[in-house]
Amino acid sequence: MKVIDKIRGSAADPNRVVFSFEFFPPKTEDGVDNLFERMDRMVAHNPSFCDITWGAGGTTADLTLEIANKMQNIICVETMMHLTCTNMPVDKIDHALETIKGNGIQNVLALRGDPPHGQEKFVQTEGGFACARDLVKHIKSKYGDYFGITIAGYPEAHPDVIGNDGLAPLEGYQNDLAYLKSKVDAGADLIVTQLFYDTDIFLKFVNDCRQIGITCPIVPGIMPINNYKGFIRMTGFCKTKIPAEIMAALEPIKDNEEAVKAYGIHLGIEMCKKIMAHGIKTVHLYTLNMEKSALAILMGLGLIEESKISRSLPWRRPTNVFRIKEDVRPIFWANRPKSYISRTIGWDQYPHGRWGDAGNPSYGALTDYQFLRPRAKDKKLIEEWAVPLKSIEDIYERFRMFCLGKLRTNPWSELDGLQPETKIINEHLEKINTKGFLTINSQPAVNGEKSDSPTVGWGGPGGYVYQKAYLEFFCSKEKLDALIEKCKERPFLTYMAVNKEGVWKSNVGQADVNAVTWGVFSAKEISQPTVVDPVSFSAWKDEAFESWYRGWASLYPEADPSRKLVEEVGSSYFLVSLVDNDYVNGDIFGVFADF
């Protein structure tokens, strides 16, 4: 979806403020991994979009394209990619645009770009463009209305116009405004500003833009002050005016980083309040890949609450333009959403409304992608799971501790720690894990909980949500056989079980699809975003069993007895999916009472 459409859509609600984040490509592999973890946490607060910068001179071109793709398709946030003219002939520009278009991205921030490293002035690349206006014209002429095009605005004029005295001459400022309008006239539909710290200058800039006929939204770019030296360096590079009162506040605390951050948060809040008081309901935060100050500013403005993260669906809704209608998924990947997206990225159609023919989707082959965990999580996984194991009971203990929240990682989950709804039933989970039913996925029964519930709610306020109790676990063949006998006495229980070799046991048909989560909202059809079906379960089982080996056993040295024990369990146990279809009076844990 185009960012401009999101901003225009929000204008109908005078109390809604649109906020967004900017990130840049880190220089190291660890930095990229950590950025995705941080981005994932920040996106949980529902920004309208996030953007990723294009390195000076195109130095991070490939990495920017990769990060943009993962932002849009794995993190599932509306993504805007910067694109500059520096060192970019037309064929490279078109390669970048074709790449993001193919990845379902619809938003570009068109920039001239800074001079390459080591050069003082921008020089047009042979076969390239001289300025951002030419880039905007090219995007519009070749791609029509597919892309939403954003451009940069400079409240104090472009740094090239600002003199040594820190001021832009009136004629230079007016020429810069006229050029900005020419970019809008060429096809840009949104302006995001350069950082500033004098809100009066920004408000004057907006008024001056309106006076010359620029009518598109103008989004203020706010850069929180995180440390004094970085602040001085950035404002010096951008030739940004620093009001005297800000310098007076910073000078006594410049060597106290925490005090500087606290002041930066306070200043960011006050700047945004003043801007919003003038009717501007958008804010773009230059995060510098740091989350705390940006989120603290939003919390100080009352735009987010740390403990209340709303969900439009039980899983994060996709932003890829090709799969935006998707609103049904199998529950098996609830804790591995990135894996699910990776394995379905090649689908031509995505299930929506009703699951339909479960045999139609063709899941992508199991690849190493699902097991390429961020390095930071690798270290925690080793710490928590690569412990000496002397008996099968030691394996039970790992699962038990995770269900109690005493471990943060799990070889079967991409997520960090327990989900809020899991905590409702974690004592029950502890008991069955102690008995050798090793749970990797679950949900409690819910009968008409309000849809804005902080633990199980989704879909926004004004509705009611329901879900059947669900358990997914590994267990021995002996325990499975006993469990199947007990299920015969409980007609509301349906199960599927399969081992590594594909031996199948079930009391449901191969074409059956069971909705296990649904919601009722005003003036809408029933929404059923989560289902259980045999075809998806069969596709999931390979990944689930592989996690015993590549997710856990591989953490140990080759000849370690603990590794052998983990591999033996993975090769002999069954994976079981169990649904209690009586969401009103059911007792899914009762079936385990006599074990």
Side-chain angles (χ1 to χ4, degrees), residues 376-433:
K377 189 165 286 187
D378 266 344
K379 295 171 185 175
K380 193 67 176 174
L381 196 67
I382 292 170
E383 176 188 321
E384 295 184 338
W385 288 81
V387 298
L389 304 170
K390 296 181 179 179
S391 67
I392 190 69
E393 285 74 24
D394 290 338
I395 287 183
Y396 297 174
E397 179 66 7
R398 291 294 96 191
F399 285 86
R400 186 188 76 86
M401 290 182 67
F402 180 77
C403 289
L404 290 178
K406 295 181 179 180
L407 303 181
R408 297 294 299 172
T409 60
N410 183 301
W412 286 268
S413 178
E414 298 167 345
L415 309 180
D416 188 26
L418 295 178
Q419 299 306 292
E421 66 174 357
T422 307
K423 296 175 183 178
I424 299 172
I425 54 174
N426 66 344
E427 291 183 2
H428 293 290
L429 295 173
E430 176 201 11
K431 290 177 182 177
I432 68 171
N433 276 279

Side-chain angles (χ1 to χ4, degrees), residues 464-510:
Y464 290 89
V465 295
Y466 302 79
Q467 59 190 40
K468 299 173 182 177
Y470 175 78
L471 290 174
E472 190 177 334
F473 52 87
F474 294 97
C475 70
S476 67
K477 180 181 182 301
E478 293 73 25
K479 285 185 169 61
L480 174 61
D481 290 340
L483 184 67
I484 289 173
E485 289 302 311
K486 291 177 178 290
C487 285
K488 292 177 181 178
E489 304 166 5
R490 295 169 169 82
F492 283 105
L493 292 178
T494 52
Y495 66 87
M496 299 180 291
V498 66
N499 68 2
K500 189 173 183 293
E501 282 67 43
V503 175
W504 181 271
K505 301 185 180 187
S506 178
N507 62 353
V508 300
Q510 281 294 308

Side-chain angles (χ1 to χ4, degrees), residues 235-252:
T235 52
F237 176 76
C238 297
K239 300 183 180 180
T240 305
K241 178 186 175 184
I242 307 174
E245 60 268 25
I246 293 179
M247 287 304 300
L250 285 172
E251 188 63 31

Side-chain angles (χ1 to χ4, degrees), residues 89-111:
V90 174
D91 60 333
K92 285 189 176 181
I93 285 174
D94 282 334
H95 168 72
L97 292 169
E98 292 291 348
T99 299
I100 62 173
K101 183 179 180 183
N103 290 329
I105 298 172
Q106 282 194 282
N107 297 286
V108 176
L109 176 54
L111 301 160

